[in-house]
Amino acid sequence: MDSQSAERLWVDVFRLIEVGIVVQETVYRQLLGELARLYPGDDAVSELRAKYLPPSTPATTQPPPTQAPPARAQPEPPAGQRPRGSPTGETTVPSQRADSPVAQTPAGPSPDLSTRPGQYTGKVPRRRRGFGGLVPVVAGVMAVAVAMAGGWLIVRAVRGEGGASSCTAPKDSTSALQWHDGECVGYSDGTFAFGEAGDDHTDRSVDDLVAVQHLIGRQNACADDLRRRSPPSGRPFITLVYFAGLSASGDTGGNWAAAQVAELEGLLTWQRHQNIVAHNPPDPSCQPAPADTSPPNSREYLGESTEQGGPIVRVVVANGGSKMRLAGQVGRLLVDFARRPDEHVASVIGLDRTLPSTKQAITDLGKAGIITIATTLSGDNLAQLSPSYFQLVPQNTREALVATRYAAWTGRSQIEVYFPNQDCSDSSTPPTDDDYIQSLVFDTQAAAGVTSVQGKPLQVTLHGWKRTGTCESPGDLQAYFARECARLGGAGSSGGRNRLVFYAGRQEDFGDFRTGMASCLDTVAGPSPNGVLVLGDDAVIRYVTQMGGYESGHVIFRLISKGPAPTLAGASCANGELARTIDAGRFPFQLDSDLPELCTRLNAMFTFTTGTPPAASDGSAPPTGATGPSSAIAASAGSPRLSRPVTQWVDERIALAYDAARLTLNAVCRTVDDLNATCQPERTDLVDANALRAWILRTPQSGTTGRVDFASDRAADGKQLAVLRVDLGLQALPDARWPPPPVTEVETDPRSTCKLVLSGTPPRATDCLGRALPAPTG
């Protein structure tokens, strides 16, 4: 080995050892102890030994498991990237297991230390991100082999089943973690962050997932401080459990955690607002904002300069595994947790995918009487599984009605429904193991049967594609969709102008779908050249969350949105200016009065956690050198830092999670008004789930995504669903024009994002301003 190669090897070796001590302590401390025994005079070994091995401890002796390594300075991360760390800014070391393996040092000749730098810098590289930084960072139990041969040291790190040792949390935390088939599942209060330990840091969303959990952990420390002082204040203490799939699977695609991050941001927005500590806050993140000197309808207004009334909010994060495959097991853990009165669990929020495992969790939570609020689940008849289950969005029966009404409104006599097939045959049978897809396909068939176009029944054809991995490769699937697009666009003299393509699948396959169907997608100027109209189901919004603003070209299609108002508010919500836009009477959408409140609080949350001011109303960046009023708070103590979203609109999942939390807080306080002024909890020493359920059932209330009334049905079928036109190549929606076009021109106008809205009971189709749609012609 030449001296340059040996130098690079030694640098990697000592970096690996120091990072390994940080994330896995036991094995690497023992390895360092062996190196210190073999090479006591080496500069780099001595430096690491002085930092991580106490002088009174023999070199090969392991420190007690509860002893954390000394805090060390972290390199300042690049702008927009967050540093690693615990909620307090110190490096978190997982509690150790008794069965952690011990690295063995085989005998061999001494390495030639003269070929490497004599002084180690002590700088630790950042964990590998998806877009750069190739650094061997190890998490979980590592098989570390030290072989000394040929004059150099070889260190090999392999992540395997032993990764269970990283699935641990501090002993004094509110956590219950289990290792199942390579995944760490269970729940934690933020002292353990799902996604932080492991080798799945392959895209930009995982850093945000870890960062938002750390920030939730910091807010939980603020909640605990307020709880100790709550008896004299009369404020109830409550726990909200967020339950979703927080592990990646092989086909989730890039930025896979973006949807979950959005929902956690919605809950973090409530925490930041409710957990302000006016005097001696335990963490800078709950420090009051400076007194507002700007009007309430300006983007500079934060509205968080004083301690609040109403509930003190703790959030516990639960991982049901990749695609919620372990939701049943984790649901039982949550039942045990919620049954403990001192935990004050008020509701379980989120859930993810209408699958048998998710349905089992809903059933088990319902048997225990635990309030469960689904943010985006839309499978049919889920409320029958649990008397305490509430669904914030309409069921698939209503979504299917949107698809068929939209086909009729646009003059399409044929709806082509595409979905993953049950098996590898050509049967075009929807999968029985995915209730969401199966019910959406069958509901669309039924809705088409009662829909007419120009006096004739709407025709529907089912197309089941063969699943990627099981039956087809991604390239085969793209080729299939390309052939289908060519067939549909060339059908008859009218081309595809009488056909609506309805994508009724999950977001994992939408990338192949839109690549293959490229010739059937809209153009910047308007409809697709062959006349085919493409509509995605509501699951596609997750793909938009993942890819919106990142495409290099224009990828334009329509989808069904479950929370259109915050999305259509665009940059005016993301930067806190929505109230001013509404006051000026220039907002082209009917919305609930609660949305401006969310926008103001969301802007405040991002200001505190990112330390950056919002973009201007036109979507441009803030002036050079501009800082948020609390940038020092966000950057203090090396704390994790979120990035503001790339897109200039608010993800509907932020708003839906915010509404789920609001529903719970209102029930605790028995009010639909200002929590700060009118909170009248039945009790502050415990949470009465039966009382909360009864209040929710009898009390209609508004939210940022619309009004809900669960008196007759615990699924919000009357809420708005909308067809939106999106372009993945844009970071902002083009809906700022005013006045809006005439209702007859909305569909053909490429600048209009909102095409159709279905709401109410019985359902009524309108445009986004509530104007009735005329009967389709032509």
Side-chain angles (χ1 to χ4, degrees):
M1 175 179 289
D2 60 73
S3 60
Q4 187 175 15
S5 299
E7 178 178 329
R8 288 196 300 267
L9 175 62
W10 275 113
V11 169
D12 284 344
V13 165
F14 285 104
R15 283 176 172 175
L16 178 61
I17 289 173
E18 183 159 11
V19 176
I21 289 174
V22 170
V23 301
Q24 177 51 37
E25 189 179 18
T26 306
V27 171
Y28 287 94
R29 280 178 178 270
Q30 291 173 334
L31 176 57
L32 176 58
E34 286 298 313
L35 289 175
R37 180 179 65 82
L38 292 171
Y39 316 108
D42 181 75
D43 294 339
V45 172
S46 297
E47 178 185 339
L48 292 176
R49 176 180 177 176
K51 183 179 290 189
Y52 294 113
L53 298 180
S56 59
T57 304
T60 57
T61 301
Q62 175 188 338
T66 56
Q67 179 176 336
R72 57 180 174 79
Q74 297 284 342
E76 182 64 24
Q81 296 183 6
R82 62 160 192 82
R84 297 284 175 194
S86 72
T88 60
E90 298 178 349
T91 303
T92 302
V93 179
S95 56
Q96 301 301 313
R97 295 169 60 96
D99 57 352
S100 295
V102 177
Q104 300 295 324
T105 308
S110 299
D112 179 9
L113 300 180
S114 65
T115 59
R116 59 162 184 79
Q119 182 65 34
Y120 178 57
T121 64
K123 294 182 179 179
V124 181
R126 290 177 55 79
R127 187 184 304 249
R128 179 179 178 180
R129 292 175 60 94
F131 301 98
L134 186 60
V135 178
V137 179
V138 187
V141 168
M142 309 298 171
V144 180
V146 181
M148 297 174 197
W152 65 85
L153 178 70
I154 301 174
V155 176
R156 181 175 177 179
V158 181
R159 181 176 185 265
E161 285 300 316
S165 70
S166 67
C167 187
T168 56
K171 293 181 179 179
D172 60 347
S173 67
T174 302
S175 304
L177 305 174
Q178 295 180 353
W179 184 259
H180 281 281
D181 300 328
E183 293 187 49
C184 184
V185 298
Y187 63 83
S188 179
D189 59 359
T191 52
F192 173 90
F194 295 102
E196 184 162 32
D199 57 1
D200 57 354
H201 286 246
T202 56
D203 60 60
R204 56 189 173 267
S205 68
V206 178
D207 277 351
D208 280 340
L209 176 63
V210 174
V212 73
Q213 289 177 86
H214 278 304
L215 290 166
I216 283 171
R218 294 174 65 183
Q219 283 296 320
N220 287 343
C222 303
D224 288 339
D225 183 78
L226 290 169
R227 183 183 191 181
R228 287 190 290 270
R229 302 189 278 117
S230 65
S233 69
R235 296 182 63 186
F237 174 89
I238 67 167
T239 298
L240 304 177
V241 178
Y242 176 71
F243 188 17
L246 303 176
S247 302
S249 62
D251 61 349
T252 47
N255 207 22
W256 65 268
Q260 292 89 328
V261 169
E263 293 189 329
L264 286 168
E265 287 171 344
L267 300 184
L268 180 62
T269 299
W270 269 112
Q271 278 197 293
R272 164 60 206 169
H273 184 75
Q274 291 298 123
N275 295 346
I276 295 172
V277 181
H279 303 289
N280 300 318
D283 187 276
S285 66
C286 50
Q287 182 174 317
D292 287 297
T293 58
S294 304
N297 66 352
S298 67
R299 67 180 177 139
E300 293 79 14
Y301 180 83
L302 298 179
E304 297 193 343
S305 60
T306 60
E307 199 167 296
Q308 304 297 314
I312 302 162
V313 181
R314 175 177 68 167
V315 172
V316 168
V317 180
N319 178 18
S322 59
K323 299 184 179 180
M324 291 291 276
R325 67 187 186 93
L326 298 169
Q329 293 94 309
V330 176
R332 289 188 287 274
L333 290 177
L334 293 178
V335 168
D336 293 340
F337 173 62
R339 279 175 170 166
R340 300 200 292 265
D342 59 330
E343 301 295 355
H344 293 238
V345 174
S347 66
V348 175
I349 291 172
L351 301 170
D352 188 7
R353 299 174 181 263
T354 310
L355 302 173
S357 55
T358 305
K359 293 171 70 175
Q360 184 61 55
I362 294 171
T363 300
D364 292 340
L365 292 166
K367 289 179 179 177
I370 300 165
I371 302 296
T372 307
I373 305 175
T375 48
T376 60
L377 291 187
S378 59
D380 295 339
N381 303 317
L382 293 178
Q384 295 179 7
L385 301 174
S386 163
S388 54
Y389 171 85
F390 298 92
Q391 186 170 304
L392 289 185
V393 297
Q395 301 177 88
N396 278 346
T397 51
R398 183 61 71 99
E399 181 165 347
L401 193 58
V402 172
T404 55
R405 289 275 185 100
Y406 186 59
W409 159 239
T410 55
R412 310 282 163 159
S413 60
Q414 179 79 26
I415 182 167
E416 312 279 349
V417 184
Y418 287 84
F419 54 89
N421 205 51
Q422 164 69 16
D423 50 36
C424 295
S425 70
D426 297 320
S427 62
S428 290
T429 303
T432 57
D433 60 351
D434 192 323
D435 289 8
Y436 167 77
I437 295 176
Q438 185 182 56
S439 62
L440 182 57
V441 171
F442 290 154
D443 289 342
T444 304
Q445 272 189 309
V450 295
T451 303
S452 63
V453 180
Q454 301 175 19
K456 298 180 180 179
L458 174 63
Q459 301 298 308
V460 59
T461 304
L462 304 186
H463 305 274
W465 71 74
K466 296 176 182 179
R467 299 195 197 192
T468 304
T470 305
C471 311
E472 303 274 9
S473 70
D476 293 336
L477 189 56
Q478 292 175 15
Y480 164 75
F481 288 129
R483 291 192 301 270
E484 287 295 288
C485 176
R487 180 182 66 82
L488 297 173
S493 59
S494 63
R497 288 190 294 275
N498 66 336
R499 297 175 184 268
L500 174 72
V501 171
F502 182 38
Y503 178 88
R506 296 285 184 181
Q507 84 276 5
E508 290 91 6
D509 292 315
F510 189 77
D512 291 328
F513 173 83
R514 63 93 165 173
T515 299
M517 285 276 180
S519 297
C520 288
L521 301 183
D522 280 17
T523 66
V524 175
S528 64
N530 62 14
V532 174
L533 188 61
V534 175
L535 175 66
D537 62 16
D538 71 275
V540 175
I541 197 67
R542 295 182 70 152
Y543 187 86
V544 174
T545 300
Q546 294 170 2
M547 303 304 297
Y550 286 100
E551 291 288 343
S552 57
H554 295 283
V555 181
I556 306 172
F557 53 88
R558 289 157 172 76
L559 57 79
I560 297 175
S561 170
K562 296 175 177 176
T567 300
L568 291 169
S572 66
C573 182
N575 65 20
E577 286 190 340
L578 179 60
R580 177 179 294 178
T581 304
I582 293 174
D583 288 349
R586 299 172 61 86
F587 188 71
F589 191 74
Q590 283 190 328
L591 74 163
D592 195 272
S593 58
D594 289 47
L595 184 57
E597 174 192 90
L598 164 65
C599 298
T600 296
R601 293 178 181 179
L602 184 66
N603 181 40
M605 185 276 286
F606 277 124
T607 299
F608 268 75
T609 58
T610 68
T612 59
S617 57
D618 60 0
S620 61
T624 303
T627 58
S630 44
S631 57
I633 295 174
S636 66
S639 59
R641 186 182 302 179
L642 282 177
S643 300
R644 285 183 183 264
V646 173
T647 53
Q648 295 298 315
W649 66 80
V650 173
D651 191 301
E652 66 181 42
R653 287 174 175 264
I654 292 178
L656 287 166
Y658 182 91
D659 281 351
R662 184 186 186 90
L663 179 66
T664 306
L665 269 60
N666 285 352
V668 169
C669 288
R670 297 187 298 178
T671 183
V672 294
D673 297 319
D674 182 7
L675 294 176
N676 196 36
T678 61
C679 186
Q680 298 178 341
E682 189 166 327
R683 301 180 64 168
T684 58
D685 57 336
L686 59 81
V687 172
D688 186 340
N690 289 329
L692 297 185
R693 176 181 176 274
W695 189 90
I696 293 173
L697 285 172
R698 69 173 181 264
T699 311
Q701 54 192 297
S702 61
T704 64
T705 57
R707 186 174 178 82
V708 293
D709 185 349
F710 295 115
S712 59
D713 191 350
R714 283 176 284 112
D717 281 343
K719 284 182 69 176
Q720 294 170 332
L721 292 175
V723 174
L724 305 183
R725 181 182 188 268
V726 297
D727 183 346
L728 296 181
L730 299 179
Q731 295 184 0
L733 296 175
D735 233 346
R737 61 180 299 208
W738 188 266
V743 66
T744 54
E745 299 176 11
V746 167
E747 173 55 35
T748 57
D749 180 10
R751 295 175 296 173
S752 294
T753 298
C754 182
K755 301 299 184 181
L756 176 144
V757 174
L758 194 72
S759 62
T761 303
R764 177 173 176 260
T766 68
D767 75 346
C768 289
L769 285 173
R771 299 177 296 185
L773 297 179
T777 60

